[in-house]
Amino acid sequence: MRALIVLAALLVSAAPALAHHGWSGYDSSKELTLDGTIKEYAYEHPHGHVRLEVPGKTWVVTLAPPSRMQNRGLPADKLKPGTRARVVGYPNRTDPDEMRAERIIIDGKTTELR
Amino acid sequence: MIHPPEGPAWLVWLETTRLAAVMRESLWTYPIVEIVHIVGFVVLVGAAVMFDLRLLGVSRALPASLMARHHLPWARGALLLVVPSGFLMFIAHATEFYENPAFRLKLLFLALAGLNALLFHRGAFRSVTGWDSSAVPTTARAAAVASLVLWVGVIAAGRLLAYL
């Protein structure tokens, strides 16, 4: 039983360091604000994405699950290619081209994604 | 697609099926399938853990053979919820899961848990009626410990899929 508890504790403590989809995989000390144009979108589970072109770079921006975005008034058709969007979020600790958005602002409307 | 499927052809094929697309794109299918998966493994692992604990000496007042008759059919039946729902979540991102170390670890733990159950049923379990009043043999207790560790491992690796 003691071995089980130790194993569980190890797994739990290891999880944040290894996180990818969870928020801890992103560096919240480096908040980014990106203004760009959506080139591509995926309104998919478990997380939506957009490819956002900003001057000099194209980011993959990880959004929220589609069911949450829908509930908060951000249906798929708001993310159509060509749409201007501002995202505020944090860069992935290991993938320099990916960031996770805390919120997305389209046509002056802010949608919180966490 | 933002993450175009790349990998073994059969996984690319699975991921590009209509069913996989529905899993990704339908608003509520994915969460519902997740809920079915969780309900299924709660019953499966819950039943297994309760029986394992009995073998390890907890609640000796309950006859081990009766516990086996009550718990093990539920554990087996729960596979009908767990396996199809797991398959549906897998095909939604088959190539990504294939590359994911937590997924490989989960499959390994699953295979070992299945093997452990099989060996247990072919071996020590045959004398289960004798354990109702007397001590549980060491081989059965070892299988119970292995079962506990492996099922916790399956759940842990499954949850870490989202974090690796």
Side-chain angles (χ1 to χ4, degrees):
Chain A
M1 240 13 223
R2 173 167 291 186
L4 267 186
I5 292 164
V6 170
L7 175 71
L10 277 176
L11 286 166
V12 168
S13 60
L18 300 166
H20 172 64
H21 286 287
W23 286 92
S24 47
Y26 301 87
D27 187 351
S28 61
S29 69
K30 294 184 186 149
E31 188 179 278
L32 293 169
T33 300
L34 306 176
D35 284 289
T37 305
I38 296 174
K39 307 305 286 182
E40 201 180 348
Y41 76 101
Y43 208 71
E44 291 181 353
H45 285 287
H47 299 285
H49 290 94
V50 291
R51 203 181 289 283
L52 189 73
E53 188 178 67
V54 302
K57 184 167 180 177
T58 300
W59 286 85
V60 171
V61 180
T62 297
L63 307 171
S67 37
R68 180 182 299 163
M69 295 193 285
Q70 179 86 31
N71 276 349
R72 294 185 184 174
L74 187 70
D77 61 18
K78 298 272 188 203
L79 300 173
K80 287 265 156 68
T83 303
R84 296 283 304 168
R86 168 179 289 184
V87 294
V88 179
Y90 317 110
N92 188 307
R93 292 182 196 273
T94 52
D95 179 354
D97 296 327
E98 196 226 332
M99 65 97 79
R100 181 148 187 180
E102 180 87 59
R103 62 189 65 91
I104 184 167
I105 300 105
I106 293 174
D107 291 338
K109 182 183 185 306
T110 300
T111 307
E112 296 291 334
L113 299 170
R114 200 196 289 244
Chain B
M1 288 171 94
I2 303 269
H3 298 292
E6 282 169 20
W10 68 282
L11 293 177
V12 171
W13 178 80
L14 268 180
E15 195 170 324
T16 49
T17 55
R18 184 73 206 121
L19 191 58
V22 168
M23 278 297 292
R24 288 190 300 269
E25 293 162 17
S26 153
L27 215 49
W28 291 106
T29 305
Y30 198 100
I32 289 167
V33 170
E34 264 184 318
I35 290 164
V36 170
H37 197 63
I38 293 168
V39 170
F41 74 66
V42 162
V43 174
L44 166 65
V45 180
V49 166
M50 289 305 119
F51 185 62
D52 291 338
L53 289 177
R54 170 62 183 82
L55 297 187
L56 294 174
V58 179
S59 303
R60 280 175 224 256
L62 299 172
S65 59
L66 287 183
M67 277 194 81
R69 265 164 55 195
H70 176 65
H71 285 72
L72 302 185
W74 282 100
R76 274 193 291 271
L79 288 171
L80 295 174
L81 298 179
V82 177
V83 174
S85 58
F87 175 75
L88 286 172
M89 286 188 285
F90 173 72
I91 65 170
H93 299 279
T95 57
E96 274 181 67
F97 280 127
Y98 176 74
E99 297 287 345
N100 190 314
F103 184 74
R104 294 177 174 204
L105 197 60
K106 178 176 177 177
L107 287 191
L108 175 69
F109 284 148
L110 262 180
L112 292 174
L115 185 67
N116 181 53
L118 185 75
L119 292 175
F120 173 71
H121 282 272
R122 293 256 168 105
F125 185 67
R126 289 161 188 257
S127 62
V128 65
T129 45
W131 312 341
D132 290 351
S133 47
S134 62
V136 176
T138 309
T139 47
R141 296 165 68 92
V145 171
S147 166
L148 287 171
V149 171
L150 290 169
W151 283 117
V152 170
V154 171
I155 290 176
R159 188 66 286 238
L160 289 177
L161 279 175
Y163 299 91
L164 284 176

